[in-house]
Amino acid sequence: MPNMTDDKQMTAPQITRSQSLVMGNWKMNGSISFNNQLLNEIVAGVVSVSAANMTAQLVVCVPAPYLAQAQGRLAETPVQWGAQDVSVHAKGAYTGEVSASMLTDFGCCWVLVGHSERRTLHAESDELVAQKAQAALSAGLTPVVCVGESLQERDAGLAEAVIKRQLAPVLALGPDAVKRMVVAYEPVWAIGTGRTASAQQAQDIHAVIRRLLPSSDHTPVLYGGSVKPDNAKTLFAMPDIDGGLIGGASLVATDFLAIASQ
Ligand code: PGA
């Protein structure tokens, strides 16, 4: 019979919407010295801003080789760290892949799955993304499932249908699994383009996603796509937007902190 400790390690916690979540996605950027400086600035900022009321939980999702660096620098700080992808396999002959248990070995709690760059550049299917979410959950990691339509799909009036199709195999994992995840809505046409969805456009899709989810208290839904200090406030004020997934602006400590302080 497994003991309680093992059980606990193998189950990701339920995640509530009570605290907003601001996650940085560094993508394939950084170096040991760049990361040191960025993490130092973020930690210093969080410590000084918390006095002035930073309510968001901050997480940085770093490239795999820098997980140990993030673990070392962020231990005993309020900033958490995560990975950007995970294998569906537990171990074996999968050259180049990283398993969920390897991530938890670092004390990692978060992992992005199904980012549009993985879906597009690595042909990840909706089903594979759901399998990755399941692999993460089974190891005790909180998966952040990214969904979003392309410009062509939006222009064809298919935005909602695409989101529903992408989420279907994830929702099929069951309500208990879904309460242990985060969903990030990232319209592909807004990623790295400087073109943000208007707060209303984002809210409309977030409301669609919210209606599909099993609980109004769990499964935060983040918005991502060219979030900057000057648009974060309006986006985060929308009722179904629970925080942000930040790419480019998460590489600049002052911008990341400003976004998280909205
Ligand atoms: P961006 O990226 O903020 O640079 O648009 C967001 C993302 O891809 O997660």
Side-chain angles (χ1 to χ4, degrees), residues 25 27 115 117 186 190-193 224-228 245-249:
N25 173 12
K27 309 194 181 191
H115 189 279
E117 286 147 20
E186 298 206 306
I191 295 179
T193 58
S226 298
V227 178
K228 306 283 181 232
L245 179 55
I246 321 298

Side-chain angles (χ1 to χ4, degrees), residues 10-106:
M10 297 300 281
T11 310
Q14 287 198 350
I15 168 153
T16 72
R17 301 173 65 203
S18 57
Q19 184 180 26
S20 75
L21 187 58
V22 175
M23 305 188 66
N25 173 12
W26 289 6
K27 309 194 181 191
M28 199 173 73
N29 292 294
S31 65
I32 289 176
S33 65
F34 176 88
N35 305 346
N36 257 336
Q37 187 170 343
L38 179 56
L39 293 173
N40 283 340
E41 287 173 12
I42 292 173
V43 170
V46 168
V47 172
S48 67
V49 181
S50 7
N53 264 334
M54 168 155 344
T55 52
Q57 171 65 56
L58 258 66
V59 182
V60 289
C61 294
V62 307
Y66 300 125
L67 283 165
Q69 185 184 15
Q71 178 196 35
R73 181 59 191 89
L74 298 176
E76 318 287 327
T77 79
V79 182
Q80 299 184 4
W81 68 99
Q84 299 176 5
D85 187 29
V86 66
S87 175
V88 294
H89 304 290
K91 64 173 183 169
Y94 303 102
T95 303
E97 298 212 19
V98 172
S99 74
S101 65
M102 292 174 183
L103 298 177
T104 53
D105 246 4
F106 281 101

Side-chain angles (χ1 to χ4, degrees), residues 156-244:
L158 294 173
E160 264 191 54
V162 168
I163 303 303
K164 288 181 175 164
R165 189 206 72 216
Q166 291 175 333
L167 278 177
V170 174
L171 297 171
L173 297 175
D176 186 57
V178 176
K179 285 183 193 165
R180 295 167 200 277
M181 301 176 181
V182 174
V183 171
Y185 169 56
E186 298 206 306
V188 178
W189 47 272
I191 295 179
T193 58
R195 202 181 142 181
T196 327
S198 71
Q200 194 55 54
Q201 280 174 319
Q203 166 59 27
D204 290 347
I205 298 289
H206 278 240
V208 170
I209 296 172
R210 178 54 54 202
R211 283 197 292 274
L212 295 170
L213 297 172
S215 147
S216 54
D217 297 332
H218 299 91
T219 325
V221 184
L222 311 183
Y223 171 78
S226 298
V227 178
K228 306 283 181 232
D230 60 0
N231 60 23
K233 197 179 182 114
T234 339
L235 285 161
F236 295 173
M238 301 312 275
D240 292 307
I241 300 184
D242 302 314

